[in-house]
Amino acid sequence: MIVTKNGLQYFMASGMYDRQEESEPAEELYDFRKILGKIRTKYKDVMLEEPVVIDRIELIYAPDVISDSPQIYELSPCWAVYARSSSQSPGCDLFFYYSAITGEELGIE
């Protein structure tokens, strides 16, 4: 972990998930450019003082809780979209997650 006066700059954790099984790889991923269109549609009727600026898009594995006792997760590929809603903001303050398979927005916090 790297923390500076500007906050958390880098974080890496390993061994958080013990992989039990693997699924077949997807034939193809949902095009992230279509995700940008979905975000434009989502904000087209929202009145903002400044536009939402997308800083980066990453392909990550997001955990879905399958069971609480014992705690079991299913990891699925998703597009993580990092954005900011102010030109004064030093970093990202908006995060959107979309399934990399279906393109549907995910409710990950």
Side-chain angles (χ1 to χ4, degrees):
M1 177 183 306
I2 299 174
V3 179
T4 68
K5 66 180 180 179
N6 294 327
L8 182 65
Q9 300 300 310
Y10 178 80
F11 178 81
M12 184 173 123
S14 61
M16 294 180 62
Y17 302 106
D18 184 21
R19 198 171 54 192
Q20 300 293 319
E21 60 185 62
E22 294 182 18
S23 61
E24 290 295 316
E27 290 292 319
E28 79 180 46
L29 296 177
Y30 194 87
D31 188 345
F32 72 88
R33 289 173 290 232
K34 292 180 182 178
I35 301 294
L36 296 176
K38 289 182 179 218
I39 294 171
R40 279 189 200 99
T41 300
K42 181 177 183 172
Y43 281 96
K44 74 176 183 178
D45 294 328
V46 177
M47 296 183 68
L48 300 170
E49 289 182 24
E50 295 186 47
V52 171
V53 177
I54 294 175
D55 284 334
R56 71 182 188 276
I57 300 173
E58 297 176 341
L59 182 62
I60 65 169
Y61 280 95
D64 291 324
V65 177
I66 302 300
S67 170
D68 282 328
S69 184
Q71 202 161 44
I72 299 173
Y73 296 92
E74 180 177 274
L75 298 175
S76 58
C78 77
W79 290 111
V81 180
Y82 305 97
R84 56 188 154 82
S85 58
S86 167
S87 61
Q88 305 302 316
S89 178
C92 300
D93 59 357
L94 297 171
F95 308 94
F96 308 102
Y97 299 95
Y98 289 84
S99 167
I101 306 300
T102 66
E104 294 300 312
E105 187 171 6
L106 304 172
I108 300 172
E109 296 181 16

